[in-house]
Amino acid sequence: MSVNLDAAPGAVRTSAPAPRGKARRGLSRAGALFVSPYVLFLVVVFAVPLVYTVWISFHRFYFTAPGTDIDSPWVGLSNYRDVFTDPVVGQAFLNILIFLVINVPLTVGLSLVLAAALNSKIRGRGFFRAAFYVPYVTASVALVAVWQFLFGSDGFVNHLLGSHAPDPSWLVNSHLAMPMIAVFVTWKQLGFFVMLYLASLQNVGKELYEASAMDGAGKVRQFFSVTVPGVRPATTLVVIYAIITGANLFSEPYLLTGGGGPDHASTSPVLLMYQKGIEQGHPDFAAALGVVLVAFVMVVSIAARKLTERGD
Amino acid sequence: MLRRTAYALLVLALAGTATACGRSAPDPAAAAEARGPITVWLSNNAQEVQWGRAMVAAWNKDHPGQHVTAQQIPAGKTSEEAISASIIAGTTACLAFNTSPAAVPTFQKQNGLVSLSDFPDGETYISERGGALTDQYRSTDGGFYQLPWKSNPVMILYNKKLFAKAGLDPEHPKLATYKDFLDTSRKLVRSGAAKAAIWPSPSSDFFQPWYDFYPAFAAQSGGRQLIENGRPQFDSAAGRQVAAFWRTLYAEKLAPQEQYPGDSLNDGKAAMATVGPWAVAAYKDNVDIGVAPVPTADGGSGKHSFSDEKSAAMFSSCENRATAWDVLKFATSAAQDGKFLEATGQMPMREDLTAKYPGYFAKNPMYKAFADQAERVVEVPNVPGSIDIWQAFRDEWTKSVVFGRESTDAGLRNASSEITHLLNEYGDPS
């Protein structure tokens, strides 16, 4: 690279950005090369299936053997009409709303309080950090067995409660089944969210705590006036992540309540997609339900983001 | 550059998708004549696998150019789901000896099955082997897309020790009428002998009615199918009696509303179960079991039950169908059926089993009750939308019978109405 100092000022000006442009193009090539496997992965695993799902949702469609020439006619909004008129779909979305109303505030509250506690100098801090994380990395199937041991009709909790135990029992009670799943998922995922908050807490300046202490603020006041505002970006992340994972609930109702029981009181939209699309052979209905679910998650997530970022 | 990379990636992705979609299938006419190696799928029942491997070894010994490989069916929640996924992927074996008749209309709709009636001796062989019960397995177009292979007529198996513990006579259990069955159940639970009198799964799975409602309905109705001549049959006096009987079991906590995470009869948690003869081998080392017919309101004789039949089917991905058809006939011959009965205790779909295999039933008297019951079995209706129909029934059953959130009469009426709607929809899908 060279710069012609004898050239006219304009020429210098036009030639000056060239090295930066070349460097930028070089970086772009390297960047594109590095990201291309992931972009390919995204296109193949997410983009193409998503577009295909939307296409299926507007056609009468079912999966067939290879080489089969089956007509898949355009049916417009027919599959969506079926989705919106199916009472089980309505029940499934109501179940998810109940789940989110319990799970999200509980997740945010508990994980923030625990993270704040685990961020202070307490004895056995390493043990507690690991202990809260263990359920998150343990397979759902194993944890379900623990939950059933505790909350089965013949379980440990009912033995303690005796005649005060709910009837029907926790997991087969239509009023309690979904709250039980929400609490179960909160417990299972808490370690992950505690970890997010712990990372965020490292960025809250110690001088803020010192200044507030000098102003006479106690621990509780410091928590609400320094910690909570200090981790607000993490709270937004936790809320949105909890909503997305909650809306994709499948294995917990499938394993804990025998596939959505009692009487669909714990059926989730994703579980219903599985039942309709795979068990009953209606991928078109399942695709329309999937699109509706994506829209639902987006609306709830945007609303939650507006709520958590209010006042920023 | 970025735009070119994006285009290249998109083309790659679309090419991959197109390749995946551009699957091919064997030419039916050529495949029907072709001979060569094939693969067969067996269930994962240990006794069936043992029989299957011996059967395949016997075939391979005499047919070196037409080697058969036996494998257990791929894992899945149910074998129907595994088969359905394989049909779509074009990876099914030539034959599967574990096809549920309820799934046959779906497999047919997927163009996954070969019509066995298209083989020159197909109709004759299937009809002669199965006898009078065979016609239940014809599809709506009149052809056979399954060979009715074995039945597991559902009966009441009970734990003799728990009956004795409850002060009941284990050799002469009172289980014939609904009143007797309920009285016996109350004694079993209230004496503390068992947590549950009987514990069928209360879950919402479409196939669960086959182990609570359907055997009882077959017995009470004198052998009616769920649907006959395009109309639901269960919103009737027989259906209402059956629903009321089961509702009483759940309402009085004689049958739990919670799913048992294992085998309740084997674990001594339930005193009875509705199962077929396959279970005898599974329980015999652990539970002292007795067998009784499914109850009816008045305990009348000549009662029917659900067949819990499994068929053998040939799949459209099979390239050597002539060999597959010969293997199918070999595996379901009188000699192999005898070996199958000996190894598994399950009933080959043949008439008059006790006369055909007298030696086996003399040695194994408990199985004779199942062989007698096998003469009076009812199959699931072979209609399009079969799984949807069972799901619609199950949804109303769990709501009304298991959880009592509406009357049992209303539950049956709603299920009948929904199923009529589904039958019309499948009859005219436009």
Side-chain angles (χ1 to χ4, degrees), chain B residues 155-161 170-171 173 175 265 271-273 280 287-292 366 370:
Chain B
M155 299 187 78
I156 305 289
L157 254 61
Y158 64 94
N159 184 326
K160 287 184 179 178
K161 275 189 187 160
E171 300 307 325
L175 297 168
L265 185 65
M272 294 182 277
V280 175
V287 187
D288 184 9
I289 47 176
V291 184
M366 184 178 283
F370 289 102

Side-chain angles (χ1 to χ4, degrees), chain A residues 32 39-40 43 48 60 62-68 152-153 167-168 172 254 258 262-264 274 279-280 282, chain B residues 9 13 17 23-25 77 81 87-88 90 109-111 203 253 257-259 387-388 391 395 399 403 405 426 429:
Chain A
V39 172
L40 184 65
V43 170
V48 171
R60 191 192 308 127
Y62 54 94
F63 294 116
T64 58
T68 303
S153 59
D167 182 23
V172 286
Y254 183 75
D263 185 23
H264 293 298
Y274 163 74
E279 284 189 344
Q280 297 170 30
H282 297 299
Chain B
L9 290 172
T17 310
R23 306 157 300 161
S24 60
K77 183 191 170 196
E81 277 179 32
I87 286 174
I88 296 159
K109 190 178 174 186
Q110 293 176 326
N111 272 2
S203 75
K253 312 284 183 196
Q257 291 163 312
E258 193 168 18
Q259 196 169 9
I387 292 174
D388 283 21
Q391 187 68 60
D395 287 349
K399 188 189 286 184
F403 293 104
R405 290 175 65 192
Y426 274 96

Side-chain angles (χ1 to χ4, degrees), chain B residues 258-275:
Chain B
E258 193 168 18
Q259 196 169 9
Y260 184 72
D263 187 328
S264 57
L265 185 65
N266 211 31
D267 295 348
K269 296 288 183 187
M272 294 182 277
T274 45
V275 281

Side-chain angles (χ1 to χ4, degrees), chain B residues 12-240:
Chain B
L12 261 174
L14 292 175
T17 310
T19 310
C21 294
R23 306 157 300 161
S24 60
D27 173 58
E33 304 292 327
R35 292 184 181 280
I38 66 164
T39 301
V40 302
W41 279 346
L42 308 166
S43 80
N44 55 11
N45 173 293
Q47 290 85 19
E48 277 187 62
V49 172
Q50 181 197 337
W51 164 80
R53 296 207 185 284
M55 179 275 289
V56 165
W59 168 272
N60 285 341
K61 198 173 150 196
D62 295 334
H63 302 84
Q66 300 174 72
H67 188 83
V68 177
T69 305
Q71 293 173 352
Q72 290 183 46
I73 225 156
K77 183 191 170 196
T78 60
S79 54
E80 289 73 43
E81 277 179 32
I83 291 173
S84 181
S86 302
I87 286 174
I88 296 159
T91 56
T92 39
C94 274
L95 298 170
F97 287 89
N98 196 38
T99 306
S100 168
V104 165
T106 305
F107 296 164
Q108 243 183 291
K109 190 178 174 186
Q110 293 176 326
N111 272 2
L113 295 175
V114 173
S115 171
L116 303 177
S117 300
D118 289 348
F119 291 98
D121 57 344
E123 283 277 332
T124 324
Y125 180 76
I126 294 170
S127 301
E128 284 180 359
R129 179 180 178 274
L133 293 169
T134 311
D135 268 350
Q136 297 185 91
Y137 300 90
R138 275 188 195 281
S139 290
T140 43
D141 67 0
F144 285 116
Y145 289 80
Q146 57 185 320
L147 185 148
W149 175 43
K150 57 157 187 179
S151 72
N152 271 294
V154 171
M155 299 187 78
I156 305 289
L157 254 61
Y158 64 94
N159 184 326
K160 287 184 179 178
K161 275 189 187 160
L162 295 183
F163 269 60
K165 197 175 164 188
L168 299 161
D169 180 357
E171 300 307 325
H172 304 93
K174 289 189 174 172
L175 297 168
T177 66
Y178 289 164
K179 183 182 177 306
D180 284 349
F181 195 99
L182 289 169
D183 286 346
T184 297
S185 298
R186 287 174 188 127
K187 280 181 188 157
L188 284 162
V189 174
R190 289 171 193 168
S191 68
K195 178 175 165 53
I198 191 163
W199 203 333
S201 170
S203 75
S204 299
D205 296 312
F206 72 90
F207 52 83
Q208 297 299 353
W210 304 343
Y211 308 103
D212 44 36
F213 166 76
Y214 206 39
F217 177 67
Q220 186 62 35
S221 67
R224 281 260 156 104
Q225 284 191 314
L226 190 82
I227 295 157
E228 288 179 3
N229 303 317
R231 296 182 64 179
Q233 300 294 310
F234 54 84
D235 187 18
S236 58
R240 285 189 280 274

Side-chain angles (χ1 to χ4, degrees), chain A residues 4 12 16 27 61 88 113 115 133 139 153 184 187 198 207 211 227 247 254 264 266 269-270 279 287-289 310:
Chain A
N4 182 1
V12 173
L27 281 174
F61 182 89
V88 182
V113 168
Y133 200 66
S153 59
F184 172 85
W187 169 65
L198 271 173
E207 67 279 5
T227 308
Y254 183 75
H264 293 298
S266 62
V270 178
E279 284 189 344
L289 179 54
R310 199 172 49 183

Side-chain angles (χ1 to χ4, degrees), chain A residues 104-120 122 125 128-129 132 190 193-198 201 209 219-220 223-224 227-228 231 235 238:
Chain A
V104 175
L106 210 56
T107 298
V108 171
L110 283 177
S111 52
L112 181 53
V113 168
L114 285 170
L118 292 173
N119 198 41
S120 58
I122 54 166
R125 190 168 69 167
F128 286 117
R129 283 183 176 183
F132 284 115
L190 205 56
F193 294 115
V194 167
M195 195 180 67
L196 286 182
Y197 271 127
L198 271 173
L201 281 169
Y209 290 101
K219 291 283 178 195
V220 175
F223 178 78
F224 284 106
T227 308
V228 172
V231 297
T235 301
V238 167

